[in-house]
Amino acid sequence: MTLLDLSGLTLRTTDGTTLVDDLSLTLAPGERLGLIGESGSGKSLTALAVLGLLPEGITATGSVELAGTQIVGAREEQLTRVRGRDAAVVFQEPLTALDPLMRAGRQLAEPLRRRHGLRGPALKRAVLDALERVRLAEPDRIARSFPHEISGGQRQRVALAMALACEPKLLIADEPTTALDVSVQAEMLDLIDTLVRERDMAVVFVSHDLAVVARIADRAVVMRQGRAVEEGTVLGLVRSPAHAYTRALVGSARRLESALNLGDPR
Amino acid sequence: MTPPPVLELRDVSLHHRGSDTPAVQDVSLTVETGGSLALVGESGAGKTTLLRLLLGLGRPTRGTVAFDGTELAPRDRRQMRAFRRSVQCVFQDPYSSLDPRRRVGDIVAEPLRSLGLDTKATAAPKVAEALERVGLPADAVRRYPHEFSGGQRQRVAIARATVCHPRVLLADEPVSALDVTTRVAVVDLIAELKRERGLTVVMVSHDLSVVASLCERTAVLEGGRVVEQGDTARVLGAPAHPYTRRLLDAVPRLPV
Amino acid sequence: MTERATGRTTGRPAEPTTGRATEPTTERTTGRRRPVRSYTLLAGCVLAGLIVLLALVSLVWSPYAADDTSGGRLAGPGSGHLLGTDKLGRDLFTQVMTGARIAVEAGLGSVLIAAVLGILLGLLTAFAQGWLDDTLSAFLDILIAFPTLLLAMLIVAAHSATLGSAVLAIGLAQSAVVARLTRILVKRVLTQDYITAARTSGTSWPRTVAQHVLPNIWPTLVVNLALQFGLAVLAEAGLSYLGLGVPPPNASWGGMLQEAQATFTTAPAGALAPGILLVMLVVGVNLIADGLRDTLDPTTRRRRT
């Protein structure tokens, strides 16, 4: 059984340039896949295409089947039904993903109300629960705050809580920790890891950072210039990269990391 | 007698107006000629504030910033000119640090022209040399920043910062906006410039692996204070402060 | 070519994957300037250009003298008078031509005042800090809230109803709008790293403003000034309609509309002619503003190719 099935997905701009070229991949329920690539590789666009969230001027051909629904060419009502229920997304920059003029609690209440039909005190309780689940201390205060009043890590947790609110089968995380400090990033990765494991949720984790992807995903696709150049287990890719580009990626990451081996006795 | 450190902060504190807590507090740092210092910490630790102080862009509420042993006086035009010529900066975001409406040639020539070192004509060969040194094609001078990728833009910024042959290069997260492969290339470039020209490097970064690749000394900042400083090998190799250890542990590593 | 396009959609040009910048970049092909083809700009130029042409011709030639009433009252179009005559027997086409000149003068004059005053004030407020910033901002807010009509009445009361008074009133009112826009634009530019880079390169403030700030706010300002031109033309017509603009016998379009109001059903040409030309000029100028918006930005310029 597959949860997500991309076959021959091709994304083009209106002037005919190809951004993603004939991409095929599948994802089983509960599976955790990394999409690795540098800027311009088409990895983020691929993630957006899964939810039918492509920016204007980019058209998709091929097939994206998410939990039995064909996304390519689907009408907006169909997409709305799929989003949240079958798949939800967390973006890189939580400050732009959240409405700056709405308190965090109200933003989070919206999907909870839609999905579970909660109202009044029950809804309020659910909001606080959801905030607690993403390990936010002081959920009361966070719920009452506007996005700019809380830190980047807290905002990203709120965004994650919103994505999880509808209990999707698939979580799409598009560079969710790139804008965060290292220690906050480590906590956030831990949190995502725990939450999706508990829920048996499938993950598509998009990142340029191999080490970060390795924290979450078991399998990964390396993308370059819109094409998948290599696919395999994360361990396999890191230990014995086959494609030249993957080798360059792993080599660069290793070189930077090796600088940290300062005769550390630990 | 040893020469005075090229840059020095002595018991510096800075309180932003309207803020309860000081952005930096009682910070003392020295930057020796030819040495390299990393300021490490997370957002809000005061890294950028310190860098602005070192760039003479702000004045501390308490304490002094000294250049070549003399206190930096923004009103002293002669000293400031010598200072600007000696201390140049590379910024984090190569998308915002290059004026989108100027050609790369004019951008790189700016320090030469503004410091009155060169005319447009005499600046041209130096600009060409600086661009060549950072590995950009000669025709870059006529092009605009948006025609370049992030890594190339950062090279333009490095060319601008080194065109007047400064003694000190300050770098604010110079590679954190770049992809991994590009990151390595730019780190290499800075290391080469440092070696070739005996350039003093002060780098602000939260990326410990970049710090370890480039800087001999490291100061760790938390909440506006220096919690630990010393040789990078010691600070990052055998951290004494729990915060440093936490930062180190948080670095995501490739599976072995 | 994939690389180039992908970069665009993410807002960043693609990275050459080796990281060595010496390799030829795909962006180079986009680097060449291509001729800008904006039909909006073209249409705007044609519309507004016709009016400007009319205004220019009126300086050297018109079919009749302004005070020639030989044509008889309210003559219909044709019969030696292209558009007919007004209720005093003056040639309408001659009046419309003069009106075009007055409209263009009013627009240019107002925008000139608004630009000079507004940009200076805007720069001043953008750089001002503390109480000076507060005071200047409050002053601008009051000026923006102050009705142009009231301002015009005050100036006319102090002076007299002339084109100059109207232009001064409109220009002053608009300078507040331009100043506030300039202030916001300048403040935004000042937060950019390239300004800090200029300072650490030893660039003085005046030079920074000339080389970095103004070039970066200019496109937005020019577009706004073009819009202000259209508004100024309308405002002048309004003031003349109320008798606060150009005094008779000089024919302003606003004045003509007012005069033709009573006879609109019997002789519509007297109102239609200035009305249509007014719309042509304002629409034309707005189209130019839209067209400029698309063409002035070097980054969007290449996006369209």
Side-chain angles (χ1 to χ4, degrees):
Chain A
M1 203 189 111
T2 50
L3 173 62
L4 177 67
D5 188 358
L6 267 62
S7 69
L9 177 68
T10 301
L11 303 179
R12 280 200 189 89
T13 58
T14 34
D15 61 2
T17 32
T18 308
L19 307 176
V20 169
D21 193 5
D22 193 23
L23 182 72
S24 299
L25 58 89
T26 58
L27 191 72
E31 201 187 352
R32 302 128 73 87
L33 176 77
L35 273 188
I36 300 168
E38 302 198 326
S39 46
S41 63
K43 60 187 192 304
S44 290
L45 281 175
T46 305
L48 291 177
V50 170
L51 280 175
L53 286 172
L54 286 173
E56 224 176 297
I58 295 179
T59 47
T61 52
S63 156
V64 175
E65 221 177 287
L66 173 63
T69 312
Q70 179 56 246
I71 302 292
V72 176
R75 277 172 295 115
E76 195 58 30
E77 307 97 78
Q78 278 175 299
L79 291 174
T80 315
R81 241 175 296 135
V82 167
R83 289 176 199 150
R85 186 193 66 189
D86 293 326
V89 62
V90 180
F91 293 104
Q92 173 173 356
E93 188 32 80
L95 196 53
T96 52
L98 297 175
D99 184 340
L101 298 178
M102 210 191 265
R103 290 178 202 277
R106 263 192 66 202
Q107 306 200 34
L108 181 51
E110 181 54 29
L112 287 168
R113 190 184 56 74
R114 238 185 312 128
R115 172 78 169 151
H116 305 286
L118 296 172
R119 272 156 197 276
L123 181 60
K124 207 176 156 204
R125 190 60 248 161
V127 167
L128 295 182
D129 281 349
L131 289 173
E132 259 167 31
R133 238 175 328 204
V134 290
R135 293 190 215 144
L136 275 165
E138 304 180 84
D140 278 306
R141 185 180 65 83
I142 302 284
R144 273 183 279 112
S145 304
F146 288 102
H148 71 269
E149 295 172 333
I150 56 182
S151 74
Q154 289 168 332
R155 277 196 291 267
Q156 198 58 297
R157 280 160 199 260
V158 172
L160 180 63
M162 284 177 67
L164 297 179
C166 297
E167 291 161 19
K169 302 182 187 98
L170 169 66
L171 177 71
I172 296 170
D174 186 2
E175 303 257 11
T177 61
T178 307
L180 304 177
D181 275 328
V182 218
S183 62
V184 184
Q185 160 169 291
E187 289 165 22
M188 189 73 193
L189 289 173
D190 257 347
L191 179 67
I192 293 178
D193 190 47
T194 319
L195 289 177
V196 297
R197 255 180 223 286
E198 278 171 13
R199 288 167 176 67
D200 228 354
M201 210 179 270
V203 180
V204 172
F205 195 97
V206 179
S207 178
H208 68 277
D209 192 331
L210 264 170
V212 167
V213 170
R215 285 282 289 103
I216 302 285
D218 317 309
R219 200 158 61 88
V221 174
V222 181
M223 290 185 69
R224 187 193 181 201
Q225 294 180 19
R227 284 169 207 238
V229 296
E230 191 170 353
E231 184 182 347
T233 63
V234 174
L235 274 183
L237 289 175
V238 170
R239 283 183 187 148
S240 48
H243 192 276
Y245 178 66
T246 318
R247 276 204 296 277
L249 270 185
V250 175
S252 300
R254 283 240 187 270
R255 250 204 59 198
L256 279 177
E257 200 181 291
S258 69
L260 273 178
N261 300 332
L262 298 156
D264 184 355
R266 288 175 306 156
Chain B
M1 210 184 96
T2 51
V6 57
L7 282 173
E8 188 178 10
L9 298 179
R10 298 186 202 121
D11 297 316
V12 162
S13 297
L14 189 131
H15 225 108
H16 288 299
R17 236 190 310 168
S19 149
D20 303 333
T21 49
V24 294
Q25 210 171 352
D26 303 323
V27 171
S28 296
L29 293 170
T30 53
V31 184
E32 305 290 346
T33 301
S36 50
L37 172 72
L39 302 174
V40 168
E42 301 193 281
S43 41
K47 290 175 299 187
T48 304
T49 308
L50 281 186
L51 193 81
R52 288 184 63 84
L53 288 173
L54 288 171
L55 278 170
L57 292 175
R59 303 189 72 177
T61 330
R62 261 187 307 132
T64 54
V65 182
F67 166 60
D68 279 342
T70 329
E71 182 174 351
L72 206 56
R75 292 190 191 283
D76 182 346
R77 298 189 111 177
R78 261 192 56 208
Q79 190 203 20
M80 280 316 277
R81 238 176 69 93
F83 176 74
R84 294 274 174 245
R85 167 144 200 199
S86 308
V87 180
Q88 287 283 318
C89 188
V90 175
F91 297 86
Q92 170 174 13
D93 181 3
Y95 292 84
S96 131
S97 71
L98 308 179
D99 186 338
R101 296 195 168 270
R102 305 198 84 200
R103 291 171 196 273
V104 165
D106 294 328
I107 291 174
V108 175
E110 183 164 27
L112 298 173
R113 306 273 287 118
S114 292
L115 290 165
L117 302 172
D118 282 283
T119 63
K120 195 164 181 141
T122 59
K126 298 184 185 176
V127 169
E129 189 203 316
L131 286 172
E132 196 198 333
R133 180 62 200 87
V134 298
L136 286 171
D139 71 341
V141 287
R142 290 191 310 274
R143 290 152 70 192
Y144 285 94
H146 73 266
E147 298 171 43
F148 295 90
S149 66
Q152 291 172 320
R153 282 163 170 246
Q154 205 57 308
R155 286 171 194 273
V156 172
I158 293 172
R160 169 176 61 191
T162 51
V163 71
C164 61
H165 287 260
R167 286 149 59 204
V168 184
L169 183 70
L170 299 185
D172 186 1
E173 305 267 14
V175 298
S176 66
L178 308 178
D179 285 323
V180 179
T181 46
T182 322
R183 200 176 284 189
V184 172
V186 172
V187 165
D188 285 348
L189 173 64
I190 297 176
E192 280 163 30
L193 286 167
K194 184 170 146 233
R195 209 174 41 236
E196 269 169 32
R197 304 191 175 171
L199 200 61
T200 309
V201 173
V202 179
M203 190 176 68
V204 160
S205 182
H206 70 270
D207 189 332
L208 295 182
S209 50
V210 172
V211 166
S213 327
L214 271 178
C215 297
E216 289 129 37
R217 291 177 60 78
T218 298
V220 182
L221 288 154
E222 188 192 16
R225 289 171 182 277
V226 175
V227 296
E228 186 169 3
Q229 65 172 313
D231 289 341
T232 303
R234 211 273 301 146
V235 173
L236 298 184
H241 197 276
Y243 179 69
T244 315
R245 217 167 299 140
R246 239 185 43 228
L247 279 182
L248 265 170
D249 288 340
V251 176
R253 305 237 184 181
L254 285 175
V256 196
Chain C
M1 288 291 108
T2 323
E3 212 179 15
R4 180 180 106 212
T6 337
R8 220 177 274 150
T9 55
T10 52
R12 295 181 164 200
E15 208 64 60
T17 40
T18 55
R20 282 313 295 187
T22 35
E23 81 174 27
T25 61
T26 47
E27 286 109 331
R28 194 173 300 176
T29 46
T30 55
R32 287 198 194 99
R33 278 173 194 259
R34 292 172 193 225
V36 180
R37 236 180 273 131
S38 164
Y39 295 108
T40 325
L41 191 62
L42 192 67
C45 285
V46 168
L47 279 179
L50 279 174
I51 309 289
V52 172
L53 192 68
L54 214 55
L56 287 177
V57 169
S58 82
L59 290 173
V60 291
W61 177 84
S62 56
Y64 292 85
D67 53 359
D68 184 341
T69 56
S70 60
R73 295 174 172 196
L74 295 175
S79 65
H81 294 275
L82 187 61
L83 297 171
T85 59
D86 71 355
K87 62 184 175 190
L88 297 176
R90 295 174 299 188
D91 179 48
L92 270 178
F93 192 70
T94 305
Q95 290 194 55
V96 158
M97 283 176 75
T98 318
R101 202 195 76 224
I102 291 173
V104 171
E105 279 174 5
L108 285 178
S110 310
V111 165
L112 192 70
I113 293 175
V116 172
L117 262 181
I119 293 174
L120 280 176
L121 255 177
L123 278 170
L124 198 63
T125 51
F127 279 97
Q129 278 168 356
W131 65 268
L132 187 61
D133 185 24
D134 295 342
T135 316
L136 286 169
S137 298
F139 172 71
L140 287 184
D141 286 341
I142 293 171
L143 202 54
I144 285 175
F146 207 78
T148 314
L149 187 58
L150 196 56
L151 195 65
M153 281 167 63
L154 285 175
I155 291 174
V156 167
H159 258 273
S160 57
T162 62
L163 180 62
S165 308
V167 164
L168 188 62
I170 298 166
L172 277 179
Q174 292 189 329
S175 67
V177 179
V178 174
R180 205 152 71 162
L181 177 70
T182 307
R183 175 175 186 269
I184 297 167
L185 293 172
V186 171
K187 286 220 163 205
R188 195 187 302 155
V189 168
L190 287 182
T191 62
Q192 299 289 312
D193 283 344
Y194 58 79
I195 299 295
T196 317
R199 287 183 66 195
T200 59
S201 296
T203 313
S204 63
W205 272 122
R207 205 177 155 124
T208 304
V209 168
Q211 293 196 334
H212 298 289
V213 177
L214 288 179
N216 276 287
I217 66 171
W218 195 237
T220 319
L221 268 185
V222 167
V223 171
N224 189 264
L225 288 177
L227 291 173
Q228 296 293 340
F229 182 97
L231 292 175
V233 170
L234 283 177
E236 190 277 328
L239 289 179
S240 292
Y241 181 88
L242 295 171
L244 292 169
V246 191
N250 284 320
S252 148
W253 288 343
M256 290 177 70
L257 282 169
Q258 199 272 329
E259 277 183 24
Q261 200 175 10
T263 54
F264 184 68
T265 42
T266 49
L272 284 181
I276 289 172
L277 290 183
L278 188 60
V279 171
M280 272 174 67
L281 180 57
V282 174
V283 168
V285 168
N286 284 353
L287 287 176
I288 290 177
D290 273 351
L292 282 178
R293 199 192 326 263
D294 296 341
T295 49
L296 275 180
D297 188 350
T299 51
T300 59
R301 183 156 51 209
R302 260 144 228 156
R303 210 163 283 161
R304 324 195 105 226
T305 58

